[in-house]
Amino acid sequence: MRILIMAAGSRGDVAPYTGVGVRLREAGHQVTVAAPESFAALVTECGLGFHGLPADPRGPVRPEAGPAARQEGPAAGRGGTAALIRTAAAFIRDLGEGLADAADAQGAELLLLSTTTAPLGWHVAEARGIPSLGAYLQPVAPTAEFPPVVGGGRSLGRWGNRAAGRLALRVVDRIHAGAVQDLRGRLDLPPVAPRAMRRRLERAGWPVVHGFSPTLVPRPADWRAGLDVVGNWWPHVPADRRLPDTVEDFLRAGPPPVFIGFGSMAGGEGERLSELAVRALRRAKVRGVLQAGWAGLSSAGTGTGGAPADGALQTGGTSTDDVLTIGDVPHSELFPHMAAVVHHAGAGTAAAALRAGVPAVPVPVTADQPFWARRVAALGAGTDPVPFGELSVERLAEAIRKAVDEPSYRARAVRAAAALDAQDGAGEVVKKVGELGG
């Protein structure tokens, strides 16, 4: 089939679908990924088709992150909740038009919809009369077992968790209401409220596969049939990809270092975070690898001034004897060489550290990150989370030493890695697509 994967957001919202896309291509399908333009190279180097979407991953917060969430882009912290809702609504309107254009341009016969694109992609699938499959990186269906993953709230009890989950979906539907109205008008579909559309799909048992590990989040027992947790989808890494020489040389020059990176978080805070990270590493008496990311971390302790949207420096960047700055280096190649991984607890990065069997120090920033941070800690494969807003040299150094010195963290991470290795999340997507196409 001609399959169109629709994904929008930051790198962590797009990269996992490259692994899924390659497996689908190997199964004989023609696969295109519709994503923000800045990820064109990420997709095409995997041999997949690409269609650009008018959605800037460095702009407003993703709608599922909630209107009060900390922003990733330059609009961070300005204008209050009402301004953020208006910005998110404008982002969603542009995204809806882009998704419709992508489906038409590619002649898609099946849509794979991410958490971000599904509330709009449903209407495109209806208008074009083609099937769709949810391919989610977060568990968003309400459950009694945990509260909504966005917001970082602790359990409210079984009834409270389900009620909060329903409320979270109503907020998402409200934010999408204007864009859905516009999109359905463009697609010559009769008006329907987003909440009504969601209920229609729930009654029909619309299938959703979730690309995270049941080792970290077991499938909730109260989920309806058709909501499956299949295992992580790993970003595709070409077979001939190797670590840059500068990284290899640094690894050989001393004991295993500690990785620190915040991914697409903390834009504009590079100078503060760089100084904090370098001081914490030295206070903990460990070597370090800083991934520049969108914050622009630098081993010089001054920040790089911000990294490009594609992940930044291609090889080494700035370095000192004990700290190296890197850019876009696959976590699957780098993390196994680390003594510990300090990360923002994004779903993909948290899973990559587990896959490597390396202890984690989660420093969640916003959205679903506190959820994943607590899951890693509960598994015993990482320290208690250090909330980004409470980050200090002393707290980070203490957590790093704890992760490196306490053997139980590594032992449990290694155990989790064995479980993840036995799971084939992308293979399960291929099977589900085969069922839909059959």
Side-chain angles (χ1 to χ4, degrees):
M1 289 190 293
R2 291 188 298 277
I3 299 173
L4 180 62
I5 301 174
M6 294 179 163
S10 63
R11 188 181 185 88
D13 299 302
V14 176
Y17 296 103
T18 62
V20 172
V22 168
R23 289 289 295 276
L24 288 167
R25 186 194 66 205
E26 292 172 349
H29 301 288
Q30 179 181 320
V31 183
T32 299
V33 178
E37 288 284 357
S38 56
F39 300 118
L42 174 72
V43 172
T44 57
E45 74 174 6
C46 301
L48 303 174
F50 178 79
H51 185 98
L53 294 177
D56 181 4
R58 305 195 99 186
V61 70
R62 298 187 304 279
E64 75 274 15
R70 178 186 180 90
Q71 296 296 286
E72 296 179 14
R78 298 199 298 265
T81 299
L84 297 185
I85 291 177
R86 288 193 298 271
T87 304
F91 167 86
I92 292 166
R93 280 191 171 88
D94 291 343
L95 180 60
E97 292 189 8
L99 296 178
D101 290 341
D104 291 341
Q106 301 302 320
E109 297 171 310
L110 172 67
L111 302 183
L112 263 60
L113 305 177
S114 71
T115 318
T116 309
T117 60
L120 300 169
W122 294 330
H123 308 279
V124 177
E126 177 187 349
R128 300 299 175 250
I130 57 178
S132 63
L133 170 67
Y136 288 3
L137 296 173
Q138 301 87 9
V140 297
T143 174
E145 296 185 16
F146 46 79
V149 300
V150 169
R154 298 188 179 276
S155 178
L156 304 172
R158 295 186 64 81
W159 182 89
N161 288 342
R162 285 195 64 84
R166 294 190 188 100
L167 177 61
L169 292 182
R170 284 200 290 272
V171 170
V172 171
D173 291 340
R174 180 181 176 185
I175 293 173
H176 281 81
V180 166
Q181 180 179 359
D182 292 348
L183 181 60
R184 290 185 70 87
R186 172 184 167 172
L187 296 172
D188 294 324
L189 293 173
V192 65
R195 189 176 178 190
M197 186 68 174
R198 189 183 296 276
R199 286 177 170 175
R200 180 192 305 175
L201 291 164
E202 288 295 306
R203 288 194 298 268
W206 184 63
V208 181
V209 287
H210 294 82
F212 51 81
S213 173
T215 301
L216 201 56
V217 183
R219 182 187 185 278
D222 57 353
W223 271 6
R224 65 165 174 83
L227 302 179
D228 298 316
V229 177
V230 300
N232 283 95
W233 304 325
W234 306 112
H236 177 70
V237 178
D240 60 351
R241 185 77 177 266
R242 296 291 182 269
L243 291 174
D245 290 343
T246 49
V247 178
E248 293 279 12
D249 292 344
F250 183 79
L251 293 175
R252 285 192 292 264
V258 171
F259 172 94
I260 299 180
F262 295 99
S264 59
M265 297 288 105
E269 299 192 48
E271 185 170 351
R272 179 182 74 85
L273 290 175
S274 296
E275 180 182 5
L276 188 154
V278 171
R279 289 177 60 196
L281 288 167
R282 290 173 178 162
R283 187 183 184 102
K285 295 181 170 57
V286 295
R287 302 197 311 147
V289 173
L290 304 186
Q291 189 160 47
W294 286 5
L297 299 185
S298 167
S299 57
T302 58
T304 65
D310 65 355
L313 313 165
Q314 293 305 306
T315 52
T318 58
S319 65
T320 62
D321 289 342
D322 58 344
V323 185
L324 174 72
T325 304
I326 63 170
D328 183 13
V329 175
H331 291 163
S332 60
E333 303 298 308
L334 180 66
F335 283 1
H337 301 283
M338 299 295 106
V341 173
V342 179
H343 59 69
H344 63 295
T349 309
L354 285 179
R355 185 189 192 191
V358 176
V361 177
V363 184
V365 181
T366 187
D368 57 341
Q369 295 157 20
F371 173 83
W372 299 110
R374 288 197 301 272
R375 287 283 167 165
V376 169
L379 202 60
T383 67
D384 289 338
V386 180
F388 183 80
E390 301 173 17
L391 192 62
S392 68
V393 172
E394 294 75 16
R395 286 197 67 176
L396 183 55
E398 180 183 2
I400 289 172
R401 282 266 40 117
K402 191 174 182 181
V404 171
D405 291 342
E406 175 52 60
S408 66
Y409 291 122
R410 181 170 288 272
R412 288 168 181 160
V414 168
R415 192 180 311 154
L420 267 62
D421 189 56
Q423 298 159 7
D424 183 12
E428 292 299 316
V429 177
V430 174
K431 289 180 185 177
K432 180 63 70 173
V433 167
E435 294 170 4
L436 291 174

